[in-house]
DNA sequence: CTTTACGTTTACGTTAACGTCAAGCATCCA
DNA sequence: TGGATGCTTGACGTTAACGTAAACGTAAAG
């Protein structure tokens, strides 16, 4: 929402924005998911940190453990200067895609079952209404 | 895979089939996710238990906590004799659908980002190959 | 008849992901 | 200047989802 690329945020602002406590934000730093700048002892968050936080939160909504989230978002930051590195990243991408598509298959199956179940309930309800 | 509806399974068979330990299966019983028959002190699993286990495992793959999985699969077993019960179930179904669709949105976003990132990497690789 | 295989309960241990104090600086503001 | 506010670092507590070990029953198999 901020256009200025040099804008920074405090831990309170970041926590409020993502709907978590500052303890949570610090926990993510402890395990190396983010690494805000320090001014003195105070943490200063940049856009890069917000980007990573957003990815973390989405990973959480999807139910991924933080360790797995780390491998995912770190993938976007791996240096890709050499061909071997690029090829490694590409292989990891395939890996991730498989995982995500498996999940989507499960999700779609769950949604279809829910639809069928709802239709059944609606039918029952209609039958009750009639009599 | 078993046609006979009266077929039963031991805990070892069930655990092997779903790729978990017997401790896990017992844990699910402890928290009331399944309730196998008892013959003496020995657990006897029926098709109903397998069905629920399958739902549990899918919930796990989707990253749901067991408590949430319970509310989901119990929904399929709520008595729906009275209109009020049916209406409650239908409202719960809507609730679940919202949740699942939010997840699918997140999942699709993640997949699209992955696609874009892969395309970028492929382009980089191609540029390296050319020069 | 005792070993082996499989089952049971009880209970403490472990890991992840934070929650929850406590105690201490820094700064703003009336 | 003296709270109030906001930030910091410990460090112990908690919940979920099992792991793991002990100690015991039972039934088939050699």
């Amino acid at each position: 929402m901020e256009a200025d690329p040099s804008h920074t945020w405090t831990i309170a602002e970041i926590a409020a924005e993502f709907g978590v406590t500052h303890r949570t934000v610090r926990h993510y730093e402890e395990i190396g998911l983010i690494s805000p700048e320090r001014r003195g002892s105070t943490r200063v968050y940049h856009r890069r940190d917000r980007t990573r936080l957003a990815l973390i939160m989405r990973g959480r909504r999807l139910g991924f453990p933080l360790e797995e989230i780390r491998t995912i978002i770190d993938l976007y930051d791996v240096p890709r200067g050499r061909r071997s590195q690029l090829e490694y990243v590409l292989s990891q991408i395939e890996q991730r895609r498989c995982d995500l598509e498996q999940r989507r298959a499960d999700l779609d199956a769950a949604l279809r079952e829910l639809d069928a179940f709802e239709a059944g309930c609606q039918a029952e309800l209609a039958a009750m209404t009639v009599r």
Side-chain angles (χ1 to χ4, degrees), chain A:
Chain A
M1 303 301 174
E2 284 285 350
D4 181 5
S6 65
H7 190 96
T8 63
W9 293 265
T10 72
I11 193 169
E13 290 165 345
I14 285 287
E17 178 174 353
F18 289 98
V20 297
T21 69
H22 74 288
R23 177 66 180 89
T24 298
V25 177
R26 273 189 39 224
H27 179 61
Y28 294 161
E29 180 181 352
E30 279 173 30
I31 64 174
L33 286 183
I34 49 181
S35 36
E37 189 200 337
R38 293 298 180 110
R39 282 195 194 139
S41 72
T42 308
R43 293 169 174 83
V44 175
Y45 297 84
H46 293 254
R47 238 190 42 265
R48 168 192 162 82
D49 300 308
R50 287 192 20 166
T51 306
R52 292 180 69 97
L53 252 305
L55 288 174
I56 294 169
M57 299 312 288
R58 193 177 64 194
R60 277 189 16 165
R61 286 195 303 277
L62 289 174
F64 287 105
L66 294 181
E67 271 313 305
E68 204 167 339
I69 293 178
R70 179 219 303 283
T71 74
I72 302 175
I73 68 185
D74 279 358
L75 193 61
Y76 287 97
D77 281 329
V78 168
R80 305 189 297 282
R82 287 206 305 279
R83 164 183 295 269
S84 60
Q85 293 168 326
L86 253 174
E87 279 163 351
Y88 170 74
V89 168
L90 280 165
S91 76
Q92 289 301 99
I93 290 177
E94 277 320 296
Q95 173 77 21
R96 299 299 320 156
R97 187 201 308 282
C98 277
D99 184 6
L100 291 179
E101 276 173 354
Q102 160 68 32
R103 271 188 182 233
R104 191 165 55 176
D106 280 323
L107 202 58
D108 285 346
L111 272 165
R112 277 194 304 273
E113 275 176 27
L114 204 63
D115 284 344
F117 186 55
E118 183 184 24
C121 287
Q122 293 285 13
E124 276 187 56
L125 191 63
M128 286 178 79
T129 308
V130 163
R131 82 170 15 247

